[in-house]
Amino acid sequence: MVLRWYSNVIDTPDPRSLAAWWAEAIGWQKVYEADDEVVLVPGYLGSEEEARAVPWERLPPGLVFVRVTDPKTVKNRIHLDLAPHTSQDRDAEIARLEQLGATRAEIGQDDSVSWTVLADPEGNEFCVLSSRDF
């Protein structure tokens, strides 16, 4: 038996707002929403019926936003890496994320790295990597 990576959980004082931001940023869809929890899954999964047709071990992990009362105070110990496809304009994607409210984050990286560190509206760091085809 093998366990499946089920989800990444992001603590936030406002699950609805932060989940909506991430859904717009990466094109995912809400499949569950309550005051204290919101669940996103990849938009390409389609309807719930289509998602249920995917074998359990092939379902990708979701993002779960849960309400907490304490604010973020330090750099994330785990973060998301996003990558555009080689057919996409990486700089345009970064600009789009910034227009949505992401900000550039300085975590000690120098100018030689091939990724850009950004933070979502609540300060959670994530990276936009160089374009890839796999």
Side-chain angles (χ1 to χ4, degrees), residues 4-65:
R4 178 172 73 86
W5 178 8
Y6 191 75
S7 66
N8 291 321
V9 178
I10 300 173
D11 294 343
T12 173
D14 187 355
R16 290 178 194 262
S17 177
L18 193 58
W21 188 89
W22 277 98
E24 178 71 20
I26 61 176
W28 283 24
Q29 60 184 328
K30 280 186 259 181
V31 293
Y32 177 79
E33 183 173 17
D35 288 338
D36 62 346
E37 180 181 19
V38 178
V39 179
L40 301 180
V41 298
Y44 64 80
L45 287 177
S47 69
E48 182 177 342
E49 295 79 28
E50 290 171 313
R52 289 188 181 281
V54 176
W56 169 258
E57 67 278 2
R58 291 183 178 238
L59 280 170
L63 288 175
V64 179
F65 298 82

Side-chain angles (χ1 to χ4, degrees), residues 69-108:
T69 57
D70 52 315
K72 180 184 179 302
T73 58
V74 298
K75 179 184 172 296
N76 298 7
R77 295 298 297 261
I78 295 177
H79 66 269
L80 301 177
D81 281 348
L82 307 177
H85 187 263
T86 53
S87 65
Q88 293 174 283
D89 181 341
R90 178 181 178 273
D91 292 336
E93 284 299 306
I94 291 171
R96 183 182 68 82
L97 292 168
E98 289 176 320
Q99 287 177 334
L100 290 175
T103 55
R104 304 260 175 161
E106 176 59 49
I107 59 165

Side-chain angles (χ1 to χ4, degrees), residues 110-130:
D110 62 33
D111 293 337
S112 69
V113 299
S114 63
W115 61 86
T116 300
V117 182
L118 299 173
D120 71 17
E122 290 189 5
N124 300 300
E125 298 91 4
F126 63 97
C127 296
V128 178
L129 306 177
S130 58

